Amino acid sequence: TLKEEGEKIIQALVNTVKEKYYQQILSSPQPQRLNLETILEYALQKANEVLLEMAQIGYITWHKENINFIIAVAKPDIKNHETNLYFTHHGQINALLTHKASRGVYKEINIIESVNGGDDHPQKLFSSTVTGKLTLHDRFLISTEAFANIISSYQITKICDEYSITGAKDYLRALILNNATPTNFLTHSAIMLGMEKETLASEQPISQL
């Protein structure tokens, strides 16, 4: 079934990217100097090779148009109060950045729209990686297309302006529960990333996948 196919592809992606990504960090004598974008690109290349091999032996059927995901790496920079983001995406996924330009003024940026149009080779799942910074008070929201159809980017920006990260997540969850028909957390789902002063730790790992 399509569900079983999807589970196989997701598991292969997760296992391969995590293994190849962390393998490079753990084997390096100076992991702090590594270029995480290059490491991620290498891990994605290996994941693409694994998926193609799985398709060639008949373990999965290659339906690239049915695959939707974002794979992201976040590296905290405690000194500068920001987080470096590295990610790639494919399919019907939404990624919205709400940036605090000044007091009470937030700008919304649709990340996916700004980077679409890369390589679309039929046997290449990953076209390119995107990099950026998440500063204090910024919010990075990754969601399914169905989620974005219920809650507009304007609403998300207003909610991020008025609530903490936890409060914003609770508010968005309540909106989905009240408006999604039928309620399906797999269809209407989102992940919000952000930085707040009270959640900053003195030490963080070099990167988190």
Side-chain angles (χ1 to χ4, degrees):
T1 65
L2 286 177
K3 180 181 178 182
E4 292 172 339
E5 287 282 298
E7 290 175 348
K8 291 177 183 178
I9 291 172
I10 290 172
Q11 198 59 56
L13 280 173
V14 171
N15 291 344
T16 306
V17 172
K18 288 183 70 173
E19 176 189 354
K20 300 303 180 182
Y21 178 86
Y22 286 113
Q23 185 180 68
Q24 297 172 83
I25 293 176
L26 295 174
S27 63
S28 172
Q30 295 182 306
Q32 294 82 1
R33 295 190 177 185
L34 293 175
N35 184 315
L36 296 189
E37 184 178 9
T38 301
I39 291 176
L40 177 59
E41 289 177 345
Y42 173 79
L44 294 173
Q45 175 189 338
K46 292 301 179 183
N48 194 75
E49 292 174 1
V50 168
L51 291 177
L52 284 176
E53 183 177 345
M54 289 170 63
Q56 289 169 356
I57 64 175
Y59 186 66
I60 62 171
T61 304
W62 186 261
H63 292 294
K64 182 180 175 182
E65 65 277 7
N66 294 329
I67 302 174
N68 306 283
F69 65 81
I70 280 184
I71 297 176
V73 173
K75 180 185 179 183
D77 184 341
I78 304 303
K79 181 179 179 181
N80 295 315
H81 301 291
E82 61 188 24
T83 296
N84 297 303
L85 292 174
Y86 310 85
F87 70 92
T88 187
H89 78 282
H90 180 80
Q92 302 301 314
I93 294 290
N94 291 277
L96 178 72
L97 174 69
T98 61
H99 172 66
K100 188 172 184 180
S102 59
R103 184 178 179 84
V105 178
Y106 278 78
K107 292 183 178 180
E108 55 190 66
I109 304 170
N110 189 315
I111 304 298
I112 300 301
E113 287 183 357
S114 67
V115 301
N116 272 340
D119 182 15
D120 195 30
H121 190 281
Q123 291 187 322
K124 186 178 181 183
L125 195 59
F126 312 104
S127 58
S128 61
T129 56
V130 183
T131 62
K133 293 184 182 295
L134 189 66
T135 59
L136 196 62
H137 304 300
D138 290 349
R139 303 287 185 267
F140 185 59
L141 184 80
I142 303 167
S143 73
T144 59
E145 187 178 32
F147 181 99
N149 289 337
I150 291 179
I151 306 176
S152 69
S153 60
Y154 173 77
Q155 286 178 293
I156 293 171
T157 301
K158 291 292 291 182
I159 291 168
C160 289
D161 183 22
E162 296 175 7
Y163 295 91
S164 66
I165 294 176
T166 301
K169 289 191 295 185
D170 290 342
Y171 197 105
L172 292 170
R173 183 176 184 274
L175 287 177
I176 290 296
L177 285 173
N178 292 331
N179 294 283
T181 306
T183 301
N184 186 327
F185 287 108
L186 293 178
T187 303
H188 304 90
S189 59
I191 297 174
M192 179 179 285
L193 303 176
M195 296 181 66
E196 292 185 340
K197 287 183 178 180
E198 63 268 24
T199 61
L200 294 178
S202 58
E203 294 183 1
Q204 290 283 355
I206 178 175
S207 62
Q208 298 172 337
L209 180 62

